[in-house]
């Protein structure tokens, strides 16, 4: 018998019950307890123990004291029995109380039934409205996300636990990461915290509700969200030490991990209480080694220490869930021990159809709703399963803190009581599965059977899973609103069967969530998990993601609640300038899924048609792809070495630059762009490392024969190749015999200098045959072959000394190779097969070690000796120094470089006898042999040569007489005293020590007077050169940007062009002003001994030091070197670290003279610092003459340094910086930009104003607004505003009735036109169609277009409504006035010609060329009676009818473009029209001569009827229609008629440049015409040149097809054949190419056997879905062509029909062909075969009808009756089948 202890004090959170008590119900009212005491069972005893009696006495005493002190009645004073005492112990809320039952009052129970129901415990299920902050609930982990976990709660609720609500330990860890990584907290969480390692699906937790809210951030109806916390601090809230009893459940977090278990923190107020969990108690599903600090577990208390401070815990669900005999609470001192998760024994008080009520330990009310009572899970009636008064085990799942009475919610479900996940076993299987494994979400069930109907709630249904029911909420029963549902009637009664879809599953309830709504069933996806990568979908544009750069993404809704993102690079196959115009919200689009990220809940999709419509396999896993597969991918990154190609999901591949094209590609960015879709095939794939390499090369081009040839080719093989391509770095050759492509680097053409190799490369031509090429290396995987033609390597190959592998290397052998790389420690030398040896710095010649990069370059030929070989490490060392020799070898070696017999012949000094006398420091004499710019060539004796460098002639600057030619004073045969300094390599021009002697060396001598003394010789070396030291230096070489100078024979330096002189004019031509050999005074500015670099400056004063940003100041004038020239600016370098731009506004004082193209790269100019941005270290430069030369020079356009200089009404010129939708941005200076609104651009109406302005266009305007605070300047370009004699615009009040005005048509409607008055403040009015002409106007839109200029008369003005009525009738203008020279005669054109300008005075015939400035414009003159309409408001278009007249009348045969015929024929006007016009002109001639001035009518408007008659006519028409290819082609034909072929070519080139790039079809017409022109009048080379250009700017395949057509029509069948063969290689994936080629073979060449051979090749090249159609086309070709074999065609068709008998289109095609063959028997057999098959009625009717029509034309009555009989029989069979 458990005992209860009363708490010593009253808890703040559990106050005493309120004085107002519920009415006490007599024991007879609750018959449930008639057979049992209301107290806890005490071993069967029915009397109170002495301890209980004592407790009652103590309580009574306290109540009396309470009454006396407060004057109030003690709580529960009316009922002081044992039950109320127990209520006080629990501190519970008021519940219906019951007295002891009285067995003798049975009838009283019946009379009190109504009152019992009224005051009984109400069964409540958990709902969103009953969940309030502070509620506790038992939940099960259903989903683990990145930043939170989802808990499934009872009654289909879901709550979310954020990362910061798990445990204090985890929260501190997150705060620490945030503090370390700053704002990058998301990345820190992802990197450091693996939330999936802390939890597992199905794990149970007690959760504390922290908030319930409606998320209305997205607008509309708020989405309900429940925020939970599983932190033990909240989950154990209210628990005291006394409440921790065995078998109760607590939540604890791991605070420490020990060897034998875990130290657990319960986060109670009493910090002394700790928990311990043994390693054996963590549960079988948890690996102890993977448990981390901060993890949380719902634990069962298994024991307590003696003092109660150590709590023994178990997290094993098998142990906690075993409640049959134990592990449920049997003893609790307070009701606070009963929290969600704790197992209890339930005494059933009442069983109803909607749930169960009961008590725990006789006093605590609990309820189990319909779901958690097990009514739906078992399918049995609760009344039969549970009986009133019975006991059962249950687990507490929730609290109801908001109810008046204290009660708890419990669950009787087996899986909740056992703390496991519900599982089910399919029929005939022993293994159990999760319900979602048996029936996945989104599954559509064809049969859903209603098993229970809950009115007003929903339906419980059988979904076919054993032991698991489904629930259909009433809102999900139908698409519309469902008012009522009934068990016995209606569509959804018990047993009714429906079609439904699984929309969810709640593991706590053990119920599937089902929807019977048709819209849900039809929905393609319910959740992101349903979407498959690569799937093609249809969606709706939901939103455009706008950033500062524009539209960066598109959100597309593909299903309810599922939205995908289209990245910017996936908007389209081409770059869209304005994607917002194409993809508007609500637009339907077809998309394909790129990737699905379930963890981030992200979906990426594409709108690229190439990907959406592709039939290629989806590459979404590295494991599913193999080399050779072909598919499209998207380039997401471009590198110098290649590109990254993205496919689907995480699959990416690397596209090397060598695999991008068959041709050489130097910079991939010039050929590819990010977002481009490329078709690639897999070269290699490594699934384990997730790496893949792909190629764009056509795999079919590299066939088996070439693969075999490549495998047989080996390094060292001598081959012959034909040059196919040349670049600046290499030559591409095609090897003879195999067709393999190989590369020959330019520097591998020769052994000598780079200039020699470059010279040889210039002599090589395309198609030239190169012999004796040596295979250097090959890479079979990349199909790369490198060649060489170095003579040294060829010699090694012929002598058998090639180093192909390490095995060929032997010590002491002399080998030939080339430099592969130069480092600071040595030189790597490359041989064949990429074999590499190392030549260390110590083994280089001593003089080479002093030179930059040891005086070597890449690919330089070297001859060395093998020093040592390490075969195990595959390494070997080389040396260029002599190896130790034997005695005989030494003698031979000395003889190789010494003068024979070592004796001198005729020494100049007459003292020396042998060569050995010329030692270092030897003073002797030399005879000058020749004088060069940089040296004196001298002779020491016969056969012994020497040189004196110019730097070794003079001791000081003063000794030099001629600084441009210092050695000019010396002459040949002059004898000079000299001193030996060393040796000089005459081949490589290098200074060497005296110890280096061979046949190529000469003596290095010094003729300085200071060296002719016995003192020790001090040779200048680089390490002795000090910074800021002045030296005389001698120009050795003149480069593009610097001078190379010598300080001594051994020291060489560089003077940058900017540092050569203070006089900038001398820097313009360095070679002329500083010739080789000239001398300069220079100061050392930088010395880099390790890299052998020396920089000097020849500028005087303090200017020699390197220029830095701190040295600059505004207005400083400096020399600079042009490094870059563009159309908008030039870049000028001032020093190595400083450079700045010069914009158009800083190039000239007169902006009209500003032209960047007059500057050249590397040109030296004088610049002025115009602007400095010191914080950002930026500057702007200026070359204005007023800034760099003299400030007194005239300035047309003053420099604007700041906005404060500008004043309103000032007039300035500037360059258009940007043309935006809102207006123009004009650059007035480098830092001041003005804005021009659209309304301020022009006085006149401009329909397409953007085309009138271009970037960098010079404009003139007036400042109309200046705001220095906002740095805003506004200006106007209107001529009326800029002009000094500005006249105010006309306003409404200036208009008067009868006034004649000019204007432009603003809008055209059916009832009239709206006219804007010229030079007005947008004053406009209406001209009704009744006032347009003297005749009746039926269609206004044929008469006028927007933008037309007109003359109108004001007829009426409505001042109140501010309306103006205009008239355009010709009769309005018949009365002349003094100021208007027009008359009836001049206005004749109003009946047929629309005039534009009203004020043209004194116009003569000489003014016809000035139409742009005034007078009549061709674009605005139109024949009103003409039936041809203008295409738009500002262009005149010659219709097709007129152009046809041109052709017929002139009869000039133009060039045939292969489908597009163009001609230059022009139309002669008919006699009638000409006569009438001439008569009219004659009748008016006299009147015209009498007038002073007249309005000149431009007759070019008549071109619509007559056609262009001259070059001027064509040019005039082209001004209005520059995009009309027909006009251009007619123009070409016109000049060809005059035998001016070069001019026709020029016209074609003009057309290509003039036609807008968007007019692709028009440009194509011109290209085709140019091809036709060259084919007819040009050469093969000119055709090829035009063809190559056309392929670059147009669709390459279409150009090939057009040229083929041209060749065929011109009879050049051989060329057409070659072109078709080329097309088969390039465009093998297009079936049209194969068919066209076959047609060419059949019809043109009459070689059908060649055409038939194409079919099997096409089957191999094309995808399978093209096979059927192409085979059918080839069969048709056999039947249709005069050279075909009809029987062969029939055979092919028979094969197709036997394979695809239901393809009726094949039957139709074959019938058509047979009918053309006119084989009646064959035709009838076909009709019988097709009608005898199984056909639908509509198809059968078609064939019978067509058969009957054929028999009516070609048969007799008998045959017709036969067809009718067969048709009747078919109808009869169909009727029998239906019956």
């Amino acid at each position: 018998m458990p005992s209860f202890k009363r708490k010593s004090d009253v808890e703040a959170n559990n106050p005493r019950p309120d004085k107002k008590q519920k009415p006490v119900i007599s024991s007879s009212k609750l018959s449930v307890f008639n057979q049992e005491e209301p107290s806890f069972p005490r071993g069967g005893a029915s009397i109170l123990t002495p301890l209980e009696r004592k407790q009652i006495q103590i309580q009574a005493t306290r109540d009396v004291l309470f009454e006396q002190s407060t004057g109030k009645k003690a709580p529960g004073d009316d009922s002081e029995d044992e039950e109320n005492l127990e209520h006080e112990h629990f501190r519970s809320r008021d519940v219906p109380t019951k007295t002891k039952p009285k067995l003798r009052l049975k009838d009283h129970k019946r009379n009190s039934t109504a009152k019992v129901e009224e005051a009984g415990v109400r069964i409540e299920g958990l709902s969103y409205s009953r969940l309030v902050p502070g509620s506790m609930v038992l939940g099960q982990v259903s989903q683990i996300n990145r930043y939170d976990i989802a808990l499934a709660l009872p009654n289909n609720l879901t709550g979310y636990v954020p990362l910061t609500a798990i445990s204090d330990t985890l929260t501190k860890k997150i705060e620490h990461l945030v503090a370390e990584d700053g704002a990058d907290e998301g990345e820190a969480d992802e990197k450091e915290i693996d939330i999936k390692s802390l939890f597992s699906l199905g794990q149970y937790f007690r959760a504390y509700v922290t908030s319930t809210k409606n998320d209305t951030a997205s607008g509309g109806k708020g989405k309900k969200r429940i925020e939970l916390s599983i932190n033990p601090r909240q989950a154990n809230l209210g628990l005291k030490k006394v409440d921790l009893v065995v078998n109760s459940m607590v939540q604890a977090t791991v605070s420490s991990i020990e060897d034998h278990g875990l130290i657990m923190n319960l986060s109670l107020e009493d910090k002394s209480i700790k928990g311990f969990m043994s390693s054996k108690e963590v549960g079988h599903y948890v690996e102890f080694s993977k448990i981390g600090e901060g993890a949380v577990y719902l634990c069962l208390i298994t024991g307590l220490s003696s003092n109660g401070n150590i709590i023994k815990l178990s997290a094993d669900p098998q142990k906690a869930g075993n409640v049959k005999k134990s592990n449920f609470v049997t003893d609790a001192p307070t009701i606070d021990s009963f929290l969600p998760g704790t197992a209890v024994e339930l005494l059933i008080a009442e069983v109803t159809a909607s749930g169960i009520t009961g008590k725990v330990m006789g006093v605590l009310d609990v309820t189990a709703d319909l779901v958690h009572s097990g009514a739906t899970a078992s399918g049995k009636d609760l009344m039969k399963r549970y009986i009133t008064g019975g006991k059962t085990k249950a687990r507490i799942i929730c609290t109801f803190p908001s109810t008046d009475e204290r009660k708890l919610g419990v669950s009787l479900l087996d899986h909740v009581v056992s703390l496991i996940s519900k599982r089910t076993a399919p029929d005939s299987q022993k293994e159990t599965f999760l319900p979602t494994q048996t029936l996945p979400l989104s599954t559509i069930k064809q049969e859903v059977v209603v098993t229970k109907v809950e009115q007003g709630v929903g339906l419980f249904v059988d979904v076919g899973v054993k032991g698991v029911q489904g629930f259909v909420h009433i809102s999900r029963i139908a698409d519309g609103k469902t008012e009522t549902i009934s068990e016995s009637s209606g569509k959804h009664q018990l047993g009714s069967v429906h079609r439904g879809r699984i929309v969810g599953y709640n593991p706590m309830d053990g119920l599937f969530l089902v929807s019977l709504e048709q819209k849900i069933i039809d929905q393609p996806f319910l959740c992101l998990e349903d979407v498959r990568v690569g799937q093609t979908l249809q969606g709706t544009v939901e939103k455009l993601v706008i950033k500062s750069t524009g539209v960066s993404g598109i959100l597309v809704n593909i299903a309810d609640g599922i939205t995908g993102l289209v990245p910017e690079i996936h908007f389209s196959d081409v770059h869209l300038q304005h994607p917002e115009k194409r993809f508007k919200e609500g637009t339907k689009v077809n998309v394909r899924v790129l990737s699905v990220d379930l963890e981030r809940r992200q979906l990426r999709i594409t709108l690229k048609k190439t990907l959406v419509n592709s039939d290629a396999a989806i590459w979404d896993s590295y494991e599913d792809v193999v080399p050779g597969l072909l598919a499209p991918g998207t380039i997401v990154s471009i590198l110098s070495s290649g590109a990254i190609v993205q496919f689907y999901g995480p699959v990416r591949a690397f596209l090397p630059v060598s695999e991008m094209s068959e041709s050489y590609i130097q910079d991939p960015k010039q050929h590819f762009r990010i977002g481009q879709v490329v078709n690639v095939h897999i070269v290699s794939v490594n699934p384990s490392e997730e790496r893949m390499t792909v190629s764009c090369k056509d795999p079919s081009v590299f066939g088996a024969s070439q693969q075999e040839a490549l495998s047989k080719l080996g390094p060292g093989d001598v081959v012959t190749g034909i040059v196919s391509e040349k670049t600046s770095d290499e030559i591409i050759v095609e090897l003879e015999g195999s067709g393999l492509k190989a590369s020959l680097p330019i520097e591998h053409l020769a052994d000598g200098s780079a200039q020699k190799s470059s010279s040889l490369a210039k002599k090589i031509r395309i198609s030239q045959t190169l012999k004796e090429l040596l295979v250097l290396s090959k890479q079979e995987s990349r199909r790369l072959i490198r060649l060489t033609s170095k003579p040294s390597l060829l010699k090694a190959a012929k002598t058998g000394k090639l180093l192909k592998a390490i095995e060929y290397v032997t010590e002491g052998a002399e080998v030939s190779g080339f430099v592969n790389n130069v480092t600071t420690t040595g030189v790597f030398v490359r041989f064949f097969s990429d074999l590499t040896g190392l030549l260390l710095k110590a083994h280089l010649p001593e003089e080479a070690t002093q030179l930059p990069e040891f005086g070597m370059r890449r690919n330089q030929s070297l001859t060395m000796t093998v020093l040592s070989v390490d075969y195990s490490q595959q390494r070997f060392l080389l040396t260029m120094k002599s190896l130790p020799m034997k005695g005989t070898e030494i003698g031979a070696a000395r003889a190789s470089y010494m003068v024979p017999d070592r004796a001198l012949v005729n020494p100049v000094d007459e003292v020396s006898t042998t060569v050995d006398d010329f030692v270092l420091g030897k003073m002797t004499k030399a005879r000058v042999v020749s004088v060069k710019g940089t040296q004196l060539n001298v002779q020491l004796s016969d056969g012994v040569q020497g040189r004196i460098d110019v730097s070794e002639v003079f001791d000081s600057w003063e000794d030099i007489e001629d600084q441009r030619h210092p050695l000019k004073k010396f002459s040949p045969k002059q004898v000079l005293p000299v001193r030996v300094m060393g040796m000089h390599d005459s081949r490589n021009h290098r200074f060497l020590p005296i110890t280096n002697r061979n046949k190529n060396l000469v003596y290095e001598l010094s003729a300085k007077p200071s060296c002719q003394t016995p003192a020790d010789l001090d040779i200048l070396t680089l390490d002795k050169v000090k910074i800021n030291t002045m030296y005389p230096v001698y120009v050795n070489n003149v480069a593009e940007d610097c001078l190379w100078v010598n300080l001594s024979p051994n020291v060489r330096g560089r003077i940058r062009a900017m540092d050569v002189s203070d006089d900038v004019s001398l820097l313009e031509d360095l070679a002329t002003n500083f010739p080789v050999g000239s001398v300069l005074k220079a100061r050392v500015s930088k010395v880099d001994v390790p890299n052998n670099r020396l920089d000097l400056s020849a500028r005087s004063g303090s200017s020699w030091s390197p220029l830095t940003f701190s040295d600059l100041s505004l207005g400083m004038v400096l020399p600079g070197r042009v490094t870059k020239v563009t159309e908008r600016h030039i870049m000028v370098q001032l020093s190595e670290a400083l450079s700045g731009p010069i914009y158009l506004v800083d190039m000239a004082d007169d902006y009209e003279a500003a032209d960047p193209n007059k500057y050249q790269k590397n040109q030296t100019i004088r610049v002025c610092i115009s602007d400095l941005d010191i914080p950002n270290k930026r500057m702007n430069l200026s070359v204005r003459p007023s800034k760099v030369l003299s400030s007194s020079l005239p300035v047309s356009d003053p420099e604007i340094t700041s906005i404060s200089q500008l004043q309103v009404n000032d007039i300035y010129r500037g360059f258009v910086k940007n043309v935006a939708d809102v207006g123009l941005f004009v650059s007035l200076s480098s830092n001041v930009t003005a804005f021009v609104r659209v309304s301020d651009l022009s006085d006149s109406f401009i329909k397409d104003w953007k085309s009138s302005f271009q970037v960098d266009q010079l404009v003139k305007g007036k400042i109309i607004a200046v705001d220095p605070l906002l740095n805003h300047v506004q200006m106007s370009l209107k001529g009326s505003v800029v002009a000094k004699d500005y006249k105010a615009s006309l306003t409404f009040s200036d208009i008067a009735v009868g006034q004649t005005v000019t204007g432009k048509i603003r809008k055209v409607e059916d009832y009239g036109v709206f006219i804007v008055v010229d030079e007005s403040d947008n004053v406009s009015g209406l001209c009704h169609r009744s006032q347009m002409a003297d005749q009746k106007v039926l269609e206004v839109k044929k008469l006028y277009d927007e933008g037309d200029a007109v003359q109108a008369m004001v007829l009426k003005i409505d001042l109140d409504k501010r309306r103006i009525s205009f008239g355009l009738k010709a009769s309005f203008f018949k009365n002349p006035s003094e100021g208007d020279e027009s008359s009836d005669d001049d206005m004749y054109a109003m009946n047929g010609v629309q005039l534009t300008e009203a004020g043209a005075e004194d116009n003569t015939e000489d003014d016809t060329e000035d139409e742009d400035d005034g007078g009549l414009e061709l674009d605005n003159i139109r024949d009103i009676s003409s039936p041809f309409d203008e295409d738009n408001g500002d262009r005149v278009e010659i219709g097709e009818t007129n152009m046809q007249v041109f052709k017929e009348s002139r009869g000039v045969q133009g060039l045939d473009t292969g489908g597009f015929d163009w001609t230059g024929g022009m139309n002669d006007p008919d006699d009638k029209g000409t006569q009438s016009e001439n008569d009219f002109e004659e009748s008016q001639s006299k009147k015209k001569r009498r007038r002073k001035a007249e309005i000149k009518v431009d007759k070019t408007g008549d071109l619509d009827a007559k056609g262009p008659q001259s070059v001027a006519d064509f040019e005039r028409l082209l001004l209005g229609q520059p995009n009309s290819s027909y006009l251009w082609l007619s123009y070409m034909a016109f000049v060809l008629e005059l035998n001016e072929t070069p001019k026709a070519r020029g016209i074609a080139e003009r057309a290509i440049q003039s036609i807008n790039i968007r007019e692709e079809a028009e440009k194509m017409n011109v290209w085709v015409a140019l091809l036709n022109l060259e084919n007819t009048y040009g050469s093969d080379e000119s055709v090829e040149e035009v063809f190559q250009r056309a392929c670059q700017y147009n669709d390459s395949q279409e150009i090939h097809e057009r040229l083929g057509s041209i060749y065929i029509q011109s009879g050049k069948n051989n060329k057409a054949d070659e072109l078709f063969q080329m097309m088969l290689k390039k465009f093998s994936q297009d079936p049209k190419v194969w068919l066209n080629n076959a047609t060419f073979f059949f019809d043109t060449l009459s070689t059908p056997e060649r055409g038939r051979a194409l079919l099997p090749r096409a089957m191999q090249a094309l995808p399978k879905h093209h096979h059927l159609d192409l085979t059918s086309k080839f069969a048709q070709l056999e039947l249709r062509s005069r050279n075909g074999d009809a029987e062969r065609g029939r055979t092919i068709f028979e094969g197709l029909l036997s394979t695809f008998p239901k393809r009726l289109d094949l039957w139709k095609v074959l019938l058509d062909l047979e009918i053309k063959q006119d084989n009646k028997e064959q035709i009838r057999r076909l009709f019988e075969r097709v009608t005898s098959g199984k056909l639908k009625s509509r198809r059968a009717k078609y064939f019978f009808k067509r058969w009957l029509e054929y028999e009516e034309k070609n048969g007799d009555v008998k045959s017709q009756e036969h067809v009718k009989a067969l048709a009747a029989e078919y109808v009869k069979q169909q009727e029998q089948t239906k019956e």
Side-chain angles (χ1 to χ4, degrees), residues 1693-1733:
F1693 265 112
E1694 289 297 333
L1696 293 176
L1697 292 174
S1698 62
T1699 308
F1700 306 100
K1702 296 183 178 180
R1703 289 293 299 266
L1704 299 182
D1705 55 331
L1706 295 177
W1707 290 98
K1708 293 178 181 179
V1709 171
L1710 184 56
L1711 277 171
D1712 291 338
L1713 293 171
E1714 290 293 355
I1715 290 174
K1716 291 181 179 179
Q1717 295 285 332
D1718 199 21
N1719 189 335
K1720 296 182 180 179
E1721 296 301 325
Q1722 184 70 23
I1723 295 170
R1724 291 189 175 104
R1725 282 197 298 268
L1726 274 179
F1727 274 120
E1728 288 184 359
R1729 288 176 58 192
V1730 68
T1731 54
S1732 61

Side-chain angles (χ1 to χ4, degrees), residues 1428-1432 1435-1439 1504 1521:
F1428 309 116
D1429 295 332
E1430 295 183 11
D1431 183 45
N1432 49 47
R1435 299 183 184 275
V1436 176
E1437 180 177 328
I1438 298 180
D1504 281 344
Q1521 289 181 280

Side-chain angles (χ1 to χ4, degrees), residues 1092-1326:
N1092 198 29
R1093 289 188 58 181
L1094 175 64
D1095 289 333
L1096 304 103
S1097 173
R1099 298 175 65 182
S1100 61
S1102 59
S1103 61
W1104 68 270
S1105 59
L1107 194 65
T1108 62
F1109 198 84
S1110 59
D1111 300 330
L1112 301 179
S1113 62
L1114 287 176
M1116 182 183 290
V1117 179
L1118 299 167
R1121 183 173 63 90
V1122 178
T1123 59
K1124 184 179 180 181
V1125 179
T1126 68
E1127 294 181 355
R1128 300 181 181 179
H1129 71 278
I1130 61 175
M1131 290 296 297
V1132 177
Q1133 184 179 19
L1134 303 181
S1135 67
E1136 288 188 355
L1138 295 180
S1139 63
I1142 302 176
Y1143 296 104
L1144 288 172
V1145 291
D1146 294 318
M1147 289 185 185
D1149 290 319
D1150 184 355
Y1151 286 164
E1152 292 183 357
D1155 183 12
N1157 295 322
K1158 69 181 181 181
Y1159 299 96
Q1160 297 178 355
K1161 190 176 180 181
N1162 294 316
Q1163 180 182 352
T1164 302
I1165 58 176
R1166 187 185 298 271
V1167 298
C1168 176
I1169 308 295
S1170 62
D1171 185 37
L1172 279 177
D1173 185 358
I1174 297 177
N1176 297 318
K1177 292 188 176 181
R1178 294 180 180 176
M1179 60 180 167
N1180 290 333
L1181 306 176
S1182 174
V1183 291
R1184 285 173 173 258
S1186 60
K1187 303 286 288 185
V1188 298
L1189 296 178
S1190 173
S1191 59
S1192 61
L1193 293 174
V1195 177
S1196 300
D1197 296 289
E1199 182 183 18
I1200 302 173
T1201 57
S1202 67
I1203 195 175
S1204 60
Q1205 291 181 238
L1206 302 178
Q1207 300 292 332
V1208 176
N1209 294 327
D1210 288 348
I1211 296 177
Y1212 289 99
R1213 292 198 296 180
F1215 295 94
V1216 176
K1217 188 176 182 180
N1218 184 23
V1219 181
D1221 293 335
V1222 294
L1224 297 182
F1225 291 91
V1226 179
S1227 177
L1228 301 180
S1229 70
S1230 58
N1231 55 2
V1232 177
T1233 301
F1235 172 64
V1236 184
R1237 297 178 303 179
V1238 177
S1239 58
D1240 293 327
L1241 292 177
S1242 175
D1243 292 309
S1244 59
F1245 173 74
I1246 305 177
K1247 183 176 181 181
D1248 185 13
W1249 65 269
K1250 284 189 178 182
S1251 62
S1252 301
F1253 296 94
Q1254 297 178 353
V1255 176
D1256 297 333
Q1257 179 180 340
L1258 182 62
V1259 295
K1260 183 178 181 180
K1262 177 179 285 188
I1263 306 298
I1264 60 176
V1266 178
D1267 189 345
L1269 295 178
L1270 298 177
N1271 198 29
H1272 180 80
V1273 180
Q1274 187 174 335
M1275 66 187 304
S1276 173
L1277 304 184
K1278 287 184 176 181
S1280 58
V1281 176
V1282 176
K1284 294 181 179 180
D1285 53 347
Y1286 168 65
K1287 184 175 67 174
S1289 302
L1290 294 175
T1291 62
F1292 185 83
S1293 58
D1294 298 329
I1295 306 298
V1297 175
Q1299 182 178 354
T1300 300
V1301 297
T1302 60
K1304 288 184 174 60
I1305 294 178
R1306 177 171 59 86
K1307 191 175 182 181
V1308 181
E1309 299 291 350
D1310 292 335
Y1311 51 83
V1313 295
F1314 290 91
I1315 302 171
V1316 179
V1317 179
D1318 289 341
E1319 299 180 359
S1320 69
D1321 191 9
N1322 202 25
V1323 176
S1324 65
L1326 172 67

Side-chain angles (χ1 to χ4, degrees), residues 77 194 248 483 541 738 746 818 830 844 937 969 1008 1062 1097 1101 1242 1279 1302 1446 1491 1540 1580 1682 1700 1749:
D77 208 47
D194 184 10
S248 64
E483 299 292 343
V541 175
S738 62
I746 296 296
F818 57 94
R830 178 72 54 92
L844 288 167
N937 294 328
K969 67 177 184 178
K1008 287 184 177 181
D1062 292 325
S1097 173
S1242 175
T1302 60
F1446 294 169
R1491 285 188 296 272
E1540 295 183 0
D1580 292 344
R1682 65 179 184 276
F1700 306 100
E1749 291 174 352

Side-chain angles (χ1 to χ4, degrees), residues 1067-1102:
L1067 308 182
E1068 294 289 342
D1069 190 353
L1070 291 178
T1072 302
N1073 297 321
F1074 303 95
V1076 174
S1078 59
V1079 62
L1080 298 170
K1081 268 188 180 181
R1083 193 184 304 269
V1084 178
S1085 60
K1086 184 178 181 181
V1087 180
D1088 187 356
V1089 176
N1091 294 321
N1092 198 29
R1093 289 188 58 181
L1094 175 64
D1095 289 333
L1096 304 103
S1097 173
R1099 298 175 65 182
S1100 61
S1102 59

